[in-house]
């Protein structure tokens, strides 16, 4: 109920935390747990955390295979992540339950159309969305806002398409190739929303936020992402207050610690932060852990 109240108030971060608290109670009512997962997924979706929202839809569907809201949400997540084949499969699954469900019928048709056109080269991009280019990014919009954000233009055979998706990002032997499809965009208020990748080197895991508002703080996202401990955190160490965030200055082979209280824009405006492939990337470590000590051994680290 608390989660629903936050959701109605559009405070989606608090809604995620409330639904997570409900799930932690370990209720044996499968239908209630399916609703909690579906509702948390809806809140995650509104935050732009499409991968987390999809995971909740999957869990809800396992608990209640005929739960149409979960199926619709899962299909929507696949659409946002540009996984059109998967979106079609989820739509078809839902239509077997209710052949007249309007949202699924419309989404199925749209996914079909987008799947066909997915390989086609975009002839002209929307000027507000094509933000990956050489040098500094200056955005002039109706608010007259200018940003000093340094972007690295990755070598590509199709240079015009560099901002249409995320390039595969690799770091110390692990990579994320599932975050494709998201791109930086301006919202109606003239604020930028970025796709942001979180890397957890100790466990070779990643988190992907498809739309990280430039005025959002990192700590706010950490509170949502780790409202429930991830299954790979067997030692239960990944608590928001127990984490340190860094970015890597590859040119100088140096690491810079971030202040979690800072907004994304503050971090992107750091003089040594360079955005590669249109996707800001940060690394998360457990404070003082043996792994982090080993990881930073021999590296120049600029700490707070």
């Amino acid at each position: 109920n608390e989660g629903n109240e936050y959701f109605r108030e559009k405070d989606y971060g608090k809604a995620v935390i409330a639904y997570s608290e409900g799930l932690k109670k370990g209720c044996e009512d499968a239908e209630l747990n399916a609703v909690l997962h579906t509702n948390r997924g809806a809140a995650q979706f509104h935050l732009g955390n499409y991968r987390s929202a999809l995971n909740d839809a999957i869990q809800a569907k396992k608990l209640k295979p005929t739960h149409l809201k979960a199926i619709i949400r899962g299909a929507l997540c696949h659409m946002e992540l540009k996984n059109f084949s998967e979106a079609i499969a989820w739509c078809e699954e839902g239509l077997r339950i209710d052949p007249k469900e309007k949202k699924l019928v419309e989404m199925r048709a749209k996914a079909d159309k987008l799947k066909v056109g997915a390989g086609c080269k975009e002839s002209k991009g929307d000027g507000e969305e094509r933000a990956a280019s050489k040098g500094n990014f200056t955005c002039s919009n109706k608010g007259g806002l200018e940003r000093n954000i340094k972007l690295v233009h990755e070598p590509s055979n199709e240079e015009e398409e560099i901002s249409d998706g995320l390039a595969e990002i690799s770091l110390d032997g692990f990579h994320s190739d599932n975050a494709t499809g998201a791109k930086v965009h301006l919202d109606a208020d003239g604020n930028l929303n970025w796709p942001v990748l979180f890397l957890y080197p100790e466990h070779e895991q990643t988190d992907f936020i498809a739309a990280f508002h430039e005025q959002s703080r990192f700590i706010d996202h950490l509170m949502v992402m780790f409202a429930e401990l991830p299954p790979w955190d067997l030692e239960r160490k990944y608590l928001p207050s127990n984490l340190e965030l860094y970015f890597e200055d590859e040119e100088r082979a140096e690491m810079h610690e971030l202040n979690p209280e800072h907004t994304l824009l503050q971090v992107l405006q750091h003089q040594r932060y360079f955005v590669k492939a249109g996707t800001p990337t940060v690394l998360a470590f457990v404070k003082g852990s043996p792994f982090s000590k080993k990881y930073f051994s021999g590296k120049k680290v600029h700490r707070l």
Side-chain angles (χ1 to χ4, degrees):
N1 288 339
E2 186 179 286
N4 291 345
E5 192 61 38
Y6 284 130
F7 195 97
R8 280 191 287 271
E9 294 170 0
K10 297 186 179 180
D11 192 339
Y12 301 117
K14 287 184 179 177
V16 167
I17 293 169
Y19 293 134
S20 297
E21 287 298 316
L23 285 164
K24 284 179 187 177
K25 296 299 179 185
C27 174
E28 294 182 2
D29 186 333
E31 185 153 346
L32 177 57
N33 286 331
V35 170
L36 285 167
H37 275 293
T38 301
N39 289 0
R40 186 173 70 175
Q44 292 278 26
F45 187 90
H46 282 287
L47 289 168
N49 302 336
Y50 302 126
R51 220 183 249 182
S52 296
L54 178 59
N55 288 336
D56 270 321
I58 291 169
Q59 290 303 317
K61 190 155 68 80
K62 283 181 182 176
L63 290 163
K64 188 181 178 184
T66 59
H67 194 25
L68 268 181
K69 281 189 177 179
I71 293 172
I72 292 169
R73 182 66 56 196
L76 284 168
C77 290
H78 279 304
M79 291 292 286
E80 292 292 339
L81 294 168
K82 304 294 187 284
N83 301 332
F84 302 123
S85 294
E86 290 86 347
I88 290 169
W90 277 65
C91 286
E92 289 179 343
E93 187 175 350
L95 289 169
R96 284 195 291 272
I97 299 167
D98 183 356
K100 295 181 181 179
E101 171 53 57
K102 187 178 178 183
K103 288 182 182 176
L104 291 174
V105 171
E106 291 176 352
M107 207 185 323
R108 173 72 171 78
K110 185 177 179 181
D112 263 332
K113 183 178 177 182
L114 291 171
K115 183 182 177 184
V116 171
C120 299
K121 184 177 176 181
E122 193 178 65
S123 56
K124 314 178 188 174
D126 183 326
E128 288 187 343
E129 291 187 344
R130 301 188 68 80
S133 59
K134 290 181 180 177
N136 289 358
F137 168 53
T138 302
C139 174
S140 298
N141 52 49
K142 54 192 174 187
L145 183 62
E146 293 191 344
R147 301 164 179 83
N148 183 30
I149 298 174
K150 295 165 287 296
L151 299 162
V152 178
H153 195 65
E154 295 286 274
S156 170
N157 293 328
E158 300 290 345
E159 296 230 334
E160 291 183 25
E161 292 191 350
I162 190 89
S163 70
D164 294 346
L166 303 181
E168 184 176 284
I169 295 169
S170 62
L171 181 81
D172 289 351
F174 71 103
H175 63 272
S176 172
D177 54 9
N178 296 317
T180 57
K183 53 187 173 182
V184 59
H185 65 276
L186 279 170
D187 60 24
D189 298 320
N191 294 302
L192 284 175
N193 291 266
W194 293 82
V196 176
L197 191 65
F198 285 78
L199 306 176
Y200 311 109
E202 182 173 0
H203 296 279
E204 298 188 357
Q205 296 288 335
T206 65
D207 266 325
F208 177 64
I209 297 176
F212 193 131
H213 192 286
E214 64 181 350
Q215 297 298 342
S216 291
R217 301 180 306 165
F218 278 87
I219 187 61
D220 295 328
H221 278 280
L222 290 177
M223 292 294 288
V224 171
M225 291 155 60
F226 293 99
E228 190 173 78
L229 290 172
W232 44 262
D233 181 20
L234 300 178
E235 296 180 31
R236 305 177 70 80
K237 298 185 297 184
Y238 280 72
L239 304 170
S241 60
N242 202 28
L243 297 177
E244 291 178 338
L245 302 179
Y246 294 82
F247 73 84
E248 187 171 12
D249 181 349
E250 294 182 4
E251 185 179 316
R252 296 183 180 177
E254 297 175 354
M255 302 290 292
H256 292 261
E257 185 179 0
L258 310 182
N259 184 344
E261 299 289 337
H262 280 178
T263 65
L264 175 60
L265 180 59
Q266 286 177 297
V267 171
L268 296 184
Q269 290 176 332
H270 189 285
Q271 61 180 353
R272 295 306 304 170
Y273 199 104
F274 297 88
V275 179
K276 291 181 66 178
T279 311
T281 303
V282 297
L283 295 85
F285 300 87
V286 173
K287 292 177 184 177
S289 69
F291 178 87
S292 66
K293 289 177 182 176
K294 183 179 178 182
Y295 188 93
F296 293 122
S297 176
K299 295 183 181 179
K300 186 170 182 180
V301 182
H302 298 272
R303 297 188 183 275
L304 294 176

